[in-house]
Amino acid sequence: QAHLVESGGGLVQPGGSLRLSCAASGFTSAHWPIGWFRQAPGKEREAVSCLNTVDGSTFYADSVQGRFTISRDNGRRTVYLQMNSLKPEDTAVYYCATTCEPLVWDLGPAADGAYWGQGTQVTVSS
């Protein structure tokens, strides 16, 4: 069974940076995408970035384009989300999952059929 574990969250001042990690294990498919999502209190879950593990292509929500970078370390089976120029509105619980919907469709499982990590809290505040 697939297992995803996020880490790297924390408290950072506006304008600062954090790097989140998503460690994957037990995958039955080497071709599932990895998506990063976030959910702030009282708001809907938002897909912020996606990595197509087949060809390495990357995708970003408009809200994070130019500030966030998704990457992977194949040897460690880990996907990273580098977050720069953080803003208070980036505050949320961040999750990784084996889906990219609705940011990118038809790359892998639908959101309700995907594996999800437990989340890591990111707080941007002075």
Side-chain angles (χ1 to χ4, degrees):
Q1 180 168 338
H3 193 54
L4 301 173
V5 179
E6 303 96 337
S7 61
L11 173 64
V12 63
Q13 293 186 342
S17 299
L18 282 175
R19 189 178 77 160
L20 305 183
S21 299
C22 173
S25 62
F27 272 35
T28 57
S29 171
H31 302 303
W32 285 340
I34 295 293
W36 279 100
F37 298 77
R38 65 186 182 187
Q39 188 163 22
K43 294 188 177 181
E44 292 188 355
R45 186 175 65 202
E46 176 189 15
V48 298
S49 186
C50 170
L51 173 68
N52 182 343
T53 57
V54 174
D55 64 10
S57 55
T58 59
F59 306 86
Y60 300 94
D62 290 343
S63 58
V64 306
Q65 179 75 48
R67 299 188 299 121
F68 290 11
T69 303
I70 191 170
S71 63
R72 62 179 166 177
D73 180 336
N74 287 334
R76 295 184 177 182
R77 306 201 69 177
T78 300
V79 174
Y80 303 100
L81 186 68
Q82 178 68 43
M83 307 186 297
N84 299 329
S85 302
L86 283 162
K87 306 174 182 179
E89 51 263 45
D90 294 318
T91 295
V93 178
Y94 283 72
Y95 302 88
C96 62
T98 58
T99 182
C100 287
E101 297 181 0
L103 182 63
V104 184
W105 295 94
D106 300 326
L107 278 184
D112 59 359
Y115 291 97
W116 292 80
Q118 83 290 347
T120 185
Q121 176 70 47
V122 172
T123 302
V124 185
S125 175
S126 56

